[in-house]
């Protein structure tokens, strides 16, 4: 089994590097190992994915703090790169602020037209759920009611009225982008005529107003794993909106918040609670009942217990 490299070493930044330096380092590394620069180079592709995984963790304050404290084990199951980035297109979709969309500044460094190689994916969605510590202990699931755009049943996602199919945009020749020259440099920009669609709809569908999509309520079940941290982002693959161009569906990103508890304070997997003793109980010793996430438990207090003494109940945390 290959040992994962330290994320700071992957991006070549010190452990106290500010977020801006982390972002700059990732842009530099991603440019160096970009697939369009290294066609057919499996090693470069692996480094491209490795850099994306490192940036995904170090650019998130919560994940970075856990990584600094616990290493790779601290961010497993938090939506970080290992299971998320199956290919380069997945990376482009996740880090749109780095790569930009069609005609984005970073993407325009390359002339291969990679982002136009296939149909665009559907839009991704965002949702929020809150869970209790009791639910965190064993894991749970949530049924979310989401208003999601689906392909219009009247025009089947085309956007045009029946009998009046879309026409190819003559400005961009159906590519959705045009070249803009400025002195020595040229770059691709979104076609101003068709706004990147590559086609012109002269007679739009009355049900979807030419968008090809209409809003519909759907119910989505989100599985929330045991031990989930506050601020964790869970990706529900393929639960976003469909593509009107035949591409893959977008994703649903579910942001989890953990509710505060009346008895416990959480530190990682451990739970802390406070209790009061009388002077005689502390001096002579006693037995008290304390709350746990599974009910109540008996704790023996030995004679001579001092203030602020911490007792541990093994296995009663998360």
């Amino acid at each position: 089994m290959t040992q994962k490299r330290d994320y700071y070493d992957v991006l070549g930044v010190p452990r106290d590097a500010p977020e801006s330096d982390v972002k700059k380092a990732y842009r530099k590394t991603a440019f160096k190992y970009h697939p369009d620069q290294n066609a057919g180079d499996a090693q470069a592709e692996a480094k491209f994915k490795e850099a994306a995984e490192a940036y995904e963790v170090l650019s998130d304050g919560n994940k970075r703090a856990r990584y600094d404290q616990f290493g790779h084990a601290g961010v497993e199951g938090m939506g970080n790169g290992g299971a998320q980035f199956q290919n380069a297109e997945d990376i482009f979709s996740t880090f749109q602020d780095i790569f930009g969309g069609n005609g984005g500044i970073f993407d325009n460094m390359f002339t291969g037209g990679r982002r136009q190689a296939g149909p665009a994916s559907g839009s991704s969605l965002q949702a929020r759920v809150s869970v209790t510590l009791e639910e965190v202990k064993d894991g749970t699931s949530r049924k979310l009611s989401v208003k999601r755009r689906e392909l219009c049943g009247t025009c089947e996602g085309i956007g045009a009225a029946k009998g009046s199919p879309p026409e190819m945009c003559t400005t961009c020749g159906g590519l959705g982008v045009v070249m803009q020259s400025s002195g020595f440099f040229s770059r691709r920009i979104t076609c101003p005529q068709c706004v990147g669609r590559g086609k012109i709809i002269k007679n739009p569908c009355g049900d979807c107003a030419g968008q090809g999509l209409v809003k519909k309520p759907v119910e989505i079940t989100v599985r929330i794993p045991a031990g989930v941290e506050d601020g964790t982002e869970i990706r529900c693959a393929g639960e976003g909106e469909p593509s009107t161009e035949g591409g893959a569906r977008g994703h649903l990103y579910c942001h989890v918040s953990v509710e505060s508890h009346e008895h416990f304070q959480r530190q990682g997997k451990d739970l802390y609670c406070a209790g009061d003793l009388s002077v005689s109980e502390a001096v002579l010793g006693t037995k008290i009942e304390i709350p746990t996430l599974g009910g109540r438990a008996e704790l023996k207090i030995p004679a001579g217990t001092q203030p602020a003494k911490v007792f541990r109940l093994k296995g009663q945390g998360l």
Side-chain angles (χ1 to χ4, degrees):
M1 184 174 177
T2 304
Q3 183 73 24
K4 278 190 176 183
R5 285 208 297 156
D6 181 83
Y7 287 149
Y8 292 95
D9 289 342
V10 171
L11 297 183
V13 296
R15 302 190 79 83
D16 60 351
E19 185 178 344
S20 59
D21 287 355
V22 171
K23 188 171 185 177
K24 289 177 184 177
Y26 174 56
R27 287 173 65 93
K28 181 178 178 181
T29 306
F31 178 77
K32 181 178 180 181
Y33 297 112
H34 195 286
D36 286 346
Q37 294 258 88
N38 306 273
D41 188 338
Q43 191 173 19
E45 181 180 358
K47 289 183 180 294
F48 187 67
K49 292 179 181 178
E50 184 184 47
E53 180 179 336
Y55 178 70
E56 201 273 341
V57 171
L58 300 186
S59 63
D60 183 296
N62 183 39
K63 294 178 184 178
R64 183 174 180 177
R66 287 188 57 79
Y67 178 76
D68 288 345
Q69 186 174 3
F70 303 110
H72 293 292
V75 291
E76 288 178 358
M78 293 185 71
N80 56 303
Q84 179 175 351
F85 303 125
Q86 303 301 320
N87 50 51
E89 293 299 331
D90 206 4
I91 295 172
F92 295 144
S93 175
T94 301
F95 300 132
Q96 292 183 13
D97 63 322
I98 296 291
F99 296 100
N102 291 334
I105 294 174
F106 191 96
D107 196 42
N108 288 323
M109 294 177 182
F110 308 96
T111 58
R114 149 176 285 272
R115 303 306 302 277
Q116 291 297 314
S121 300
S123 299
S124 292
L125 303 174
Q126 305 280 338
R128 293 186 178 277
V129 298
S130 62
V131 294
T132 64
L133 272 181
E134 285 80 4
E135 292 171 320
V136 171
K137 183 176 184 293
D138 299 314
T140 186
S141 61
R142 282 285 191 278
K143 286 187 177 181
L144 303 181
S145 294
V146 178
K147 278 195 172 182
R148 183 175 67 189
R149 293 188 303 171
E150 298 289 349
L151 293 178
C152 175
T154 303
C155 66
E156 298 180 345
I158 296 175
K162 288 187 177 181
S164 180
E167 299 177 6
M168 184 181 72
C169 176
T170 56
T171 301
C172 64
L175 295 176
V177 293
V178 293
M179 296 301 295
Q180 184 182 68
S181 298
S182 178
F184 178 77
F185 297 98
S186 295
R187 66 189 186 102
R188 289 182 295 121
I189 63 170
T190 301
C191 176
Q193 184 67 24
C194 65
V195 199
R197 300 186 69 176
K199 53 191 177 183
I200 300 293
I201 298 176
K202 292 187 176 181
N203 187 14
C205 169
D207 288 346
C208 66
Q211 297 299 309
L213 300 168
V214 292
K215 278 193 173 184
K216 293 182 179 180
V218 295
E219 195 171 77
I220 300 172
T221 300
V222 178
R223 173 62 186 166
I224 301 170
V228 67
E229 292 278 353
D230 184 63
T232 295
E233 180 182 82
I234 299 174
R235 188 184 73 156
C236 303
E239 291 291 0
E241 295 182 345
S243 167
T244 57
E245 301 175 22
R249 270 187 175 270
H251 308 306
L252 171 68
Y253 292 94
C254 187
H255 302 269
V256 180
S257 61
V258 180
E259 299 172 6
S260 58
H261 198 278
E262 62 176 326
H263 297 305
F264 303 113
Q265 293 290 326
R266 178 182 183 178
Q267 293 185 21
K269 295 181 180 179
D270 299 324
L271 300 176
Y272 290 82
C273 69
D276 295 324
L277 297 174
S278 67
V279 173
S280 60
E281 288 174 328
V283 172
L284 301 175
T286 185
K287 290 182 180 179
I288 61 173
E289 276 196 347
I290 61 171
T292 72
L293 291 180
R296 302 188 70 81
E298 188 176 82
L299 176 65
K300 183 178 180 181
I301 306 296
T305 293
Q306 298 298 308
K309 170 68 176 178
V310 177
F311 295 93
R312 184 182 70 163
L313 269 70
K314 188 175 181 181
Q316 293 295 335
L318 300 174

